[in-house]
Amino acid sequence: MSTGGSLSTADVTKKSNDKENSHISPKEAFLEFDTDASGDIDEDEFFHLLETIGIKADEEYQERMFRKFVKRGSTIDFDGFKHTWLLLGNPKQELLDRGVKNLPKFATKHQLVKMLEKVLEEEERLESLAKAEAARWHELQERTNERTKLINKAKERAGMELGAALDAAGQVYVMGSGMTGQFRGKSKNT
């Protein structure tokens, strides 16, 4: 757990899921702490967040921090949460956790936060592309399954129609002599 009061997604994940060496995005963290699925973080959820990331403080301090990040009403929306996450977090560690190498040795926290914002935007862009591709693949699979069902129904119908046509054709030829008289003759059964 982080002891300096900085938010690390690895800390959040370890505490909540007992997974080592993993990190979550601000969106995943937001969804994890939005326990009532309201789309906003309320005061109780925010206090739970502070406790989870290791910020030990009295209620008054927690309330001041909450009011600091509330934009409107009495809840924090995702954008406010992301801003909170970036300010309370350890951007250097987050960048390292995400595989960013060659960080500037004397970069300020503000510079690291800006770098982290860019990395997160790229992660979100790639995630949305992956979701769109997954949706397209799912749609393709559904269309393929539907076509397979239709093809199987058509084959079944074609088999029934062919059988009916052969039955009808066989009855005509057995009972008749054919168009050119080729079926005149005695049956083999007699």
Side-chain angles (χ1 to χ4, degrees):
M1 258 335 251
S2 187
T3 55
S6 62
L7 174 60
S8 167
T9 54
D11 290 343
V12 171
T13 304
K14 283 180 195 173
K15 177 151 181 156
S16 61
N17 298 328
D18 293 328
K19 293 180 184 174
E20 299 251 354
N21 298 323
S22 62
H23 59 274
I24 59 175
S25 70
K27 185 69 170 176
E28 292 166 329
F30 179 80
L31 294 173
E32 184 174 327
F33 288 104
D34 182 19
T35 55
D36 61 2
S38 65
D40 291 316
I41 301 291
D42 62 28
E43 203 167 351
D44 290 336
E45 293 166 335
F46 185 76
F47 294 167
H48 176 68
L49 164 72
L50 293 177
E51 289 172 5
T52 301
I53 63 174
I55 296 178
K56 305 291 184 209
D58 61 12
E59 263 187 60
E60 184 180 322
Y61 178 76
Q62 289 179 337
E63 287 176 14
R64 271 197 325 251
M65 288 202 52
F66 181 74
R67 284 192 302 273
K68 178 180 177 181
F69 295 110
V70 169
K71 296 287 184 200
R72 56 175 166 47
S74 60
T75 59
I76 300 173
D77 63 2
F78 173 68
D79 291 332
F81 176 82
K82 187 175 179 180
H83 179 71
T84 305
W85 187 84
L86 288 167
L87 291 178
L88 293 178
N90 180 345
K92 184 174 184 177
Q93 188 59 49
E94 288 296 327
L95 289 165
L96 292 172
D97 288 348
R98 287 172 160 72
V100 176
K101 299 198 184 317
N102 301 324
L103 292 175
K105 194 172 199 173
F106 298 106
T108 65
K109 183 171 181 173
H110 178 73
Q111 291 169 325
L112 293 172
V113 166
K114 289 296 180 189
M115 289 175 68
L116 181 56
E117 282 178 332
K118 288 180 183 177
V119 169
L120 292 173
E121 286 172 8
E122 180 64 12
E123 283 180 4
E124 290 170 0
R125 184 186 74 77
L126 292 174
E127 183 178 351
S128 77
L129 289 174
K131 285 181 179 179
E133 182 63 28
R136 282 192 296 275
W137 183 85
H138 181 71
E139 183 180 326
L140 176 66
Q141 288 301 110
E142 285 182 344
R143 283 196 321 247
T144 300
N145 290 342
E146 186 62 31
R147 287 178 182 158
T148 301
K149 287 178 187 175
L150 292 173
I151 288 169
N152 288 337
K153 282 184 180 179
K155 284 180 180 179
E156 184 180 334
R157 177 69 188 262
M160 291 179 358
E161 291 295 329
L162 178 61
L166 290 175
D167 284 347
Q171 290 172 1
V172 169
Y173 291 130
V174 171
M175 297 176 139
S177 60
M179 289 185 70
T180 58
Q182 72 268 31
F183 297 113
R184 282 190 195 161
K186 296 187 179 183
S187 71
K188 292 184 179 185
N189 291 346
T190 51

